Amino acid sequence: MRDILIASAVALLLSIFGTPLAIRLFSRRGYGQSIREEGPSGHHDKRGTPTMGGTVIVIAALIGFACAHLMSWTPPTISAVLVLFLMTGLGAVGFLDDFIKIYKQRSLGLRSGAKALGQLVVGAVFAFLVTEFPDAYDITPAETRLSFLRDFGPSIGIVGFTIWVLIMIVGFSNAVNLTDGLDGLASGATGAVLASYILIGNWQLRNSCTAQLGPNCYWVRDPLDLAVVAAAVLGALIGFLWWNAPPAKIFMGDTGSLALGGVIAGLAITTRTQLLLIILAGMCVVITTSVIIQVGFFKMTGKRVFRMAPLQHHFELAGWAETTIVVRFWIIAGLCAAAGLGLFYVEWVPK
């Protein structure tokens, strides 16, 4: 528990005091956000707002995690290192995307193929390594099986597992990216998921099969350190949200959204709660589904289901204030996280 508090506190302080420095630095260098002309008209006022704020989140989280281990004088676990690698690698892909947008002064950065390739390369490395490194109990960070509240069913093989992990990583990193359309929206939505994984990691530690065998115990490697990762990223995210809340003084950009999508996918894989993430991150899933529906329906009929996709822009064009949309979507994100946690704990409720 001490490591969790240290990681979150250090990351929070670094983020809340480091973000203004990033705002000044990026402003001086002209690292401002480009806005799509076809987007909502209210967004044109945001043109030039500093972006790439996700660099602060990633750096603060890494330092917060490192400080927790330095102060407790314990080495980081391989599970935590792999999740942080996934976060940092996808953040680097997003950074390239953001930098190209700024350098070329356009709303599109990396070409979609190049961006997907970067995500796939980072994800493939993670997928390969996450099934290696067994501990003293022969538990690896992940197994080649599907999971909901824990692993279930037969192995799907290393090839099938790699494909599934890539679908999760690309899917959720893009889902958070699509959610990041209004000030503070993605920060609040992913923050609820990260808070859930702090609780999940702690519960898995207290009911680990390596400590005491039982009908509902968890075969999870390094659950405490995974909770420390979630706490470090959450602390960094809360500090950033102070400056990202409407009206935002800085945007996280693809640097932040891809990194956050990667870290929640990595936590789901290593805590053996892959399918549960669909519920925990339900707000991001709904927003992504709205884009799929809009594109698919338009290709089939030439008509639109929503005024604009992703879903948050539909409500903007319907006349909702930006802060109203953000707060209401935060409430939905919180309810999704609560529902996911309820399902996670339900098997422990006395019958």
Side-chain angles (χ1 to χ4, degrees):
M1 180 60 72
R2 184 183 65 175
D3 287 356
I4 290 174
L5 294 175
I6 293 171
S8 58
V10 171
L12 171 63
L13 291 173
L14 286 173
S15 182
I16 201 167
F17 291 112
T19 302
L21 299 177
I23 293 171
R24 289 196 289 270
L25 175 63
F26 294 161
S27 295
R28 283 201 302 267
R29 293 182 174 272
Y31 292 174
Q33 178 71 39
S34 298
I35 303 296
R36 293 185 304 167
E37 293 299 329
E38 65 272 19
S41 58
H43 286 212
H44 294 167
D45 294 337
K46 301 181 181 184
R47 182 177 283 108
T49 301
T51 187
M52 293 198 300
T55 54
V56 179
I57 298 172
V58 172
I59 293 171
L62 291 174
I63 294 175
F65 177 82
C67 285
H69 281 278
L70 286 172
M71 295 184 73
S72 62
W73 206 245
T74 56
T77 63
I78 189 63
S79 299
V81 169
L82 287 174
V83 174
L84 291 173
F85 159 77
L86 182 61
M87 176 187 75
T88 307
L90 291 177
V93 174
F95 182 87
L96 286 175
D97 190 47
D98 288 333
F99 187 79
I100 291 172
K101 291 176 186 176
I102 293 165
Y103 182 76
K104 295 193 174 182
Q105 290 296 299
R106 66 187 192 192
S107 60
L108 297 176
L110 284 172
R111 295 185 182 276
S112 58
K115 187 175 179 180
L117 179 61
Q119 293 171 294
L120 290 172
V121 169
V122 174
V125 174
F126 174 83
F128 172 75
L129 294 177
V130 82
T131 57
E132 304 293 325
F133 308 106
D135 64 6
Y137 299 94
D138 202 33
I139 306 174
T140 53
E143 294 284 345
T144 56
R145 299 163 66 192
L146 298 177
S147 62
F148 181 49
L149 305 180
R150 62 190 76 248
D151 290 333
F152 66 87
S155 168
I156 58 176
I158 188 62
V159 175
F161 180 74
T162 300
I163 294 171
W164 169 241
V165 167
L166 290 176
I167 290 171
M168 282 195 65
I169 290 170
V170 174
F172 279 101
S173 60
N174 286 330
V176 177
N177 186 241
L178 290 170
T179 304
D180 185 33
L182 299 179
D183 298 352
L185 179 55
S187 300
T190 52
V193 180
L194 290 166
S196 300
Y197 275 114
I198 296 173
L199 298 175
I200 288 171
N202 265 292
W203 189 256
Q204 289 178 333
L205 173 69
R206 295 174 184 275
N207 297 279
S208 173
C209 295
T210 61
Q212 184 177 0
L213 286 174
N216 294 326
C217 67
Y218 300 99
W219 291 103
V220 175
R221 174 168 179 168
D222 315 316
L224 175 59
D225 219 18
L226 292 171
V228 174
V229 170
V233 181
L234 179 60
L237 193 59
I238 292 172
F240 178 79
L241 181 58
W242 182 268
W243 304 99
N244 182 235
K249 299 293 188 292
I250 188 171
F251 300 138
M252 68 171 65
D254 284 14
T255 308
S257 60
L258 295 188
L260 290 172
V263 78
I264 62 173
L267 287 168
I269 292 163
T270 50
T271 59
R272 318 295 176 94
T273 56
Q274 299 157 12
L275 296 176
L276 184 64
L277 181 59
I278 297 173
I279 300 171
L280 291 170
M283 186 72 263
C284 299
V285 173
V286 168
I287 287 174
T288 304
T289 302
S290 73
V291 175
I292 295 171
I293 292 172
Q294 182 86 326
V295 173
F297 194 79
F298 184 79
K299 286 185 176 180
M300 289 189 296
T301 67
K303 298 180 180 179
R304 293 178 172 84
V305 177
F306 307 105
R307 290 181 171 92
M308 180 178 287
L311 187 62
Q312 60 268 31
H313 299 318
H314 168 82
F315 290 105
E316 273 193 289
L317 295 180
W320 289 25
E322 181 173 358
T323 51
T324 300
I325 300 169
V326 170
V327 172
R328 287 177 178 174
F329 276 37
W330 280 355
I331 293 170
I332 296 171
L335 291 173
C336 289
L341 284 173
L343 285 172
F344 180 77
Y345 286 116
V346 73
E347 64 182 355
W348 294 90
V349 176
K351 297 180 181 179

